[in-house]
Amino acid sequence: MLGFHPPLEADEIPYSWLVTYCQLSGLPSARVLLEQLHIAHYQLASQFPGYVPFISGQAHVSAHEVIHEHTILPVFQPFLHPKTYSSAFANLATGRASNLHSRMSLVANRINSGTVLRACPACVESDAKTVGRAWWHVQHQLPGCLACLKHSEPLFEVPVQRRALILPSQIDIQHNVELQSVDVQLTSLAHDVWRSSTALLAYLHITSRYRHRLVEKGFASHIGAIRQDKLRHALRAYWATSASPTVQQLLLDSSYPETLFRAKRAQFHPLKHLLLIGMLWGSWTDFCEYKPCECVTPERAGDNVVNEGETDADILYLLQQGKSLRAVSEQCKRSIIYVKKLALQNNIAVKTRAKRIFGADIALIVGLLKDGVKTQQIANEVDYSVGAVEQVLSQHPGLVKKRHQMRFNVQCHKHQQCIQLALAEHPEYHRSDFQRECRASYSWLFKHDKDWLYSVMPDAIPRSRRRGSF
């Protein structure tokens, strides 16, 4: 351990402080120090470092301040469910950050983020003059950030290496990015979200605001149906000049932005939200202060927002009222497995039908099957599942053929009766008239019972008289 600990500078990421700490140790190998500190196995330059408790203890800064002021986690807060964000914050504060990427759906979003470190040349020079050392600024690491808002200069990027310990002053600065106005706008958006001390919006209201705005901009109908192709092309045109490879890769995804509205319970990377907000509002402040106009029907515009807490309460209420699993599943738009899990967790007795049949019930079911009763109706009468009834049916191959013949006879009788009624009402009709009048029955009998059809039809008109002169 060092007797002197460098201060955690404003806007400095934990990785930058750790590099300085290792350099001040004087050891020939930083690996030895990291092993002594029990943090050598961590991915040092991660966006969500697992050594926050160590930084907090050595720099005499609370874990809460380290996370909110020195990591990019706050930029995710408005776009995550509160429970997910609270869990991610608690895990990061206690050094259990190994599963954060999967918990926040960063792996599923397939956005290539966190692979580079970015720095501003002007900030590097200014930091070296004022403090004596340069550091990696957290505002430069935000999603979609390509510019320094303080100096209006493009940032240079360095690929992240798992074990390397580097500072921006050790890198040869080469400007290879031409700054665009949309890149400055996206940087400003990410910075404003990160600087928001609290979530200004409820997680469940974001999609609702999108829908209202899309109606106003002509990207959705007045009833809330989104014109996905038009919206996708508009997004690509708006951000086409962006120099960010991550943005361009995202815009080529054919499922974006459609999945923002169709996947009700999914969580998306902030960059996916920022691109849409930037095109529709221009700034984070305008988005937060937005008030929908009266032209949008609130009920329909918000029908794709699911409040998980209220839905679970509704499910439990319906189950307590005696509703079946299937009925509750259809009404609440959740799977039967999810509904059953909630019931078991809350000690609610669920009535399930038997899947196997024993004793005299088999004879009763076989008798009903011989009478041609539908399997669904039999299941309701004997209180068994449809699958159990069909299992009994499959054990009697002859019965299966008999039921097929019975259904065929029913159809044949129905169509024959239709033709006979037409014959009685229109005895003067020719065959073509009956074919036109009773097309469905005539076609079915022509295919399945042609002999009977021709036996009751009027005689065919001789060919010599079919094209008679007038």
Side-chain angles (χ1 to χ4, degrees):
M1 295 293 182
L2 297 181
F4 168 75
H5 304 296
L8 187 61
E9 301 293 342
D11 194 27
E12 182 178 11
I13 64 175
Y15 167 76
S16 182
W17 183 93
L18 183 64
V19 176
T20 304
Y21 182 85
C22 291
Q23 290 178 346
L24 292 175
S25 68
L27 294 176
S29 173
R31 178 75 178 179
V32 176
L33 177 61
L34 294 175
E35 289 179 352
Q36 291 178 357
L37 300 175
H38 306 289
I39 59 175
H41 62 286
Y42 287 112
Q43 185 173 345
L44 302 179
S46 173
Q47 292 178 311
F48 310 107
Y51 47 87
V52 168
F54 170 75
I55 301 288
S56 175
Q58 298 299 318
H60 305 291
V61 179
S62 66
H64 182 277
E65 183 177 346
V66 172
I67 296 173
H68 275 285
E69 299 295 332
H70 302 277
T71 73
I72 67 169
L73 184 64
V75 81
F76 289 80
Q77 185 173 8
F79 311 113
L80 292 177
H81 191 278
K83 293 182 180 179
T84 303
Y85 182 81
S86 298
S87 175
F89 183 92
N91 287 357
L92 191 58
T94 55
R96 295 178 288 113
S98 59
N99 65 340
L100 286 189
H101 284 78
S102 59
R103 285 186 61 83
M104 296 193 296
S105 302
L106 301 185
V107 178
N109 277 264
R110 299 179 181 178
I111 291 182
N112 192 22
S113 59
T115 58
V116 296
L117 287 170
R118 293 183 287 266
C120 168
C123 289
V124 172
E125 184 178 355
S126 175
D127 296 341
K129 288 182 179 180
T130 56
V131 179
R133 68 180 182 91
W135 61 86
W136 300 103
H137 291 254
V138 64
Q139 60 178 318
H140 297 157
Q141 320 307 323
L142 299 176
C145 184
L146 284 182
C148 177
L149 297 178
K150 182 178 180 180
H151 298 101
S152 300
E153 289 191 13
L155 305 176
F156 69 89
E157 297 182 346
V158 179
V160 169
Q161 300 181 23
R162 181 177 177 85
R163 300 300 182 188
L165 296 174
I166 56 174
L167 290 174
S169 56
Q170 302 173 251
I171 306 299
D172 293 332
I173 300 176
Q174 296 180 354
H175 286 290
N176 54 2
V177 176
E178 184 177 352
L179 205 59
Q180 303 294 331
S181 59
V182 291
D183 293 322
V184 177
Q185 179 191 3
L186 184 58
T187 301
S188 179
L189 270 169
H191 184 271
D192 290 343
V193 177
W194 175 67
R195 277 301 183 190
S196 299
S197 57
T198 58
L200 301 180
L201 296 173
Y203 163 77
L204 300 173
H205 295 165
I206 291 180
T207 307
S208 177
R209 289 188 173 225
Y210 290 163
R211 288 181 171 275
H212 283 85
R213 189 66 167 180
L214 291 176
V215 174
E216 295 177 5
K217 292 288 188 178
F219 294 110
S221 64
H222 68 284
I223 61 174
I226 300 175
R227 301 179 176 98
Q228 297 288 355
D229 289 338
K230 183 178 179 181
L231 177 59
R232 186 182 303 110
H233 293 323
L235 265 176
R236 291 177 178 177
Y238 188 89
W239 299 102
T241 58
S242 175
S244 172
T246 304
V247 172
Q248 297 302 328
Q249 180 184 2
L250 177 58
L251 294 176
L252 294 177
D253 186 356
S254 59
S255 63
Y256 174 76
E258 182 177 354
T259 49
L260 285 176
F261 307 97
R262 298 199 180 277
K264 296 181 180 181
R265 299 195 302 170
Q267 299 175 141
F268 299 96
H269 194 279
L271 188 58
K272 293 186 176 183
H273 291 278
L274 294 179
L275 294 179
L276 188 60
I277 292 172
M279 187 194 75
L280 296 178
W281 283 275
S283 70
W284 177 249
T285 303
D286 292 342
F287 172 70
C288 294
E289 297 177 352
Y290 168 72
K291 296 185 182 300
C293 66
E294 298 179 354
C295 62
V296 185
T297 305
E299 291 78 8
R300 184 56 186 269
D303 61 355
N304 213 16
V305 178
V306 177
N307 187 323
E308 292 187 0
E310 292 181 0
T311 303
D312 290 351
D314 293 340
I315 291 174
L316 295 175
Y317 174 77
L318 293 173
L319 290 173
Q320 291 170 351
Q321 297 299 312
K323 294 283 187 178
S324 66
L325 294 177
R326 188 176 300 276
V328 176
S329 172
E330 293 178 355
Q331 183 172 344
C332 297
K333 308 301 182 184
R334 297 295 178 90
S335 67
I336 295 179
I337 296 176
Y338 183 83
V339 175
K340 186 175 182 180
K341 181 187 72 173
L342 281 181
L344 295 176
Q345 290 175 348
N346 293 272
N347 298 321
I348 299 176
V350 178
K351 182 181 179 182
T352 57
R353 291 177 296 183
K355 297 180 179 179
R356 295 184 179 180
I357 305 175
F358 303 94
D361 290 341
I362 295 180
L364 174 61
I365 292 174
V366 171
L368 294 173
L369 289 172
K370 290 181 178 179
D371 294 337
V373 182
K374 295 182 178 180
T375 55
Q376 180 66 61
Q377 184 178 347
I378 296 174
N380 294 335
E381 290 183 7
V382 299
D383 199 22
Y384 282 102
S385 66
V386 176
V389 176
E390 291 179 347
Q391 186 179 17
V392 175
L393 178 59
S394 65
Q395 297 172 1
H396 299 76
L399 187 55
V400 174
K401 294 181 180 179
K402 180 180 179 181
R403 287 172 61 83
H404 286 168
Q405 186 62 42
M406 292 172 65
R407 286 196 293 270
F408 176 84
N409 294 338
V410 170
Q411 289 291 320
C412 188
H413 177 73
K414 181 182 71 173
H415 293 304
Q416 288 177 357
Q417 189 176 15
C418 180
I419 294 295
Q420 289 174 345
L421 289 175
L423 286 168
E425 294 179 3
H426 305 285
E428 74 282 1
Y429 273 12
H430 298 295
R431 289 187 179 182
S432 58
D433 297 325
F434 288 111
Q435 185 180 10
R436 183 174 56 254
E437 184 74 16
C438 311
R439 181 171 299 277
S441 297
Y442 190 98
S443 300
W444 193 93
L445 290 169
F446 182 83
K447 180 179 180 180
H448 298 285
D449 199 0
K450 186 186 297 185
D451 293 338
W452 181 91
L453 178 64
Y454 281 174
S455 68
V456 299
M457 283 287 106
D459 294 336
I461 301 176
R463 292 184 178 275
S464 60
R465 295 172 53 189
R466 293 181 185 180
R467 298 182 180 275
S469 58
F470 296 96

